[in-house]
Amino acid sequence: MSSAKKSTERLIKKYPNRRLYDTQTSSYITLTDVKQLVLDAEDFTVVDAKSNEDLTRSILLQIILEEEASGAPMFSTDMLAQIIRYYGHAMQGMMGSYLEKNIQAFTEIQRKFTASAANLDGKAFSPEMWTQFMNVQAPIMQGMMNNYIDQSKSLFVQMQEQMQNQSKNLFSAFPFMTPPPSNDKK
């Protein structure tokens, strides 16, 4: 991380009493405030006040947990179980990268769509307008997302097959002994 980025990054300290202290505003803040920093695309880091350990990921996960517990959850139970199954699996790193790239692609599609919609009437979509749009366009958007997911799934399967083929090629170079044929005559 460059020193210029580090100096503009907001530092939040977490104290043993579980309170969060924003060093930029010199005040205590809540998880709701941290969520607002995320929504505002502010760069920040949360560190343990004593050990200086980076706690940003755990705070973000805590926000996701609270969001999932209230209102309409984004992740189904099955999806969460599938994600958990990848921890410790050989494909864990690839799965994380796969999910991240899909979210980036989805965000880019949304950004482009918002930009083109703003060109139509000269103003950006508000959250209320998005809700109305999604209610009307849900079947079309669902079809687009299903096509995207099918393509993404196909790409993932191709990647997996390519890795299997590379593994076979790699291990075929090793002279493994095959067991001699059995001479059991009955």
Side-chain angles (χ1 to χ4, degrees):
M1 186 182 317
S2 70
S3 60
K5 182 175 184 202
K6 203 167 197 163
S7 65
T8 62
E9 192 172 80
R10 198 172 199 148
L11 179 65
I12 299 169
K13 294 184 178 184
K14 183 175 182 187
Y15 285 92
N17 63 2
R18 294 191 271 156
R19 292 191 72 187
L20 300 168
Y21 184 78
D22 185 345
T23 59
Q24 183 174 323
T25 62
S26 299
S27 62
Y28 286 99
I29 62 173
T30 64
L31 276 180
T32 304
D33 298 322
V34 177
K35 176 185 170 190
Q36 191 58 50
L37 292 175
V38 172
L39 295 174
D40 294 342
E42 295 254 359
D43 288 331
F44 65 90
T45 301
V46 181
V47 297
D48 184 275
K50 284 187 177 181
S51 68
N52 224 23
E53 175 188 0
D54 188 344
L55 302 174
T56 309
R57 285 178 31 81
S58 65
I59 293 297
L60 293 173
L61 286 167
Q62 193 173 349
I63 292 169
I64 290 171
L65 180 62
E66 285 189 4
E67 289 295 315
E68 285 290 307
S70 65
M74 187 181 302
F75 302 110
S76 68
T77 302
D78 186 50
M79 181 179 178
L80 290 170
Q82 291 292 352
I83 290 170
I84 290 168
R85 288 183 188 110
Y86 275 101
Y87 283 98
H89 189 276
M91 301 285 281
Q92 178 178 340
M94 184 179 288
M95 180 52 85
S97 176
Y98 174 78
L99 290 172
E100 186 171 356
K101 293 212 182 317
N102 276 294
I103 289 173
Q104 288 171 348
F106 183 81
T107 302
E108 183 63 19
I109 290 168
Q110 183 184 15
R111 187 192 62 73
K112 285 180 180 177
F113 190 78
T114 301
S116 65
N119 290 338
L120 294 176
D121 64 3
K123 59 182 177 178
F125 269 24
S126 68
E128 296 79 22
M129 290 173 73
W130 269 112
T131 301
Q132 288 177 349
F133 176 79
M134 291 306 289
N135 286 339
V136 172
Q137 299 295 326
I140 295 168
M141 291 298 285
Q142 190 65 43
M144 285 174 46
M145 286 307 297
N146 285 342
N147 288 340
Y148 173 75
I149 289 168
D150 288 343
Q151 290 173 356
S152 183
K153 180 181 174 182
S154 181
L155 179 65
F156 188 75
V157 168
Q158 288 174 357
M159 248 180 4
Q160 191 173 18
E161 288 171 352
Q162 185 179 20
M163 286 179 61
Q164 287 174 343
N165 291 336
Q166 287 175 348
S167 296
K168 285 177 188 175
N169 291 339
L170 176 69
F171 289 115
S172 67
F174 293 101
F176 294 109
M177 291 183 56
T178 57
S182 176
N183 289 339
D184 291 340
K185 294 182 182 175
K186 293 183 181 178

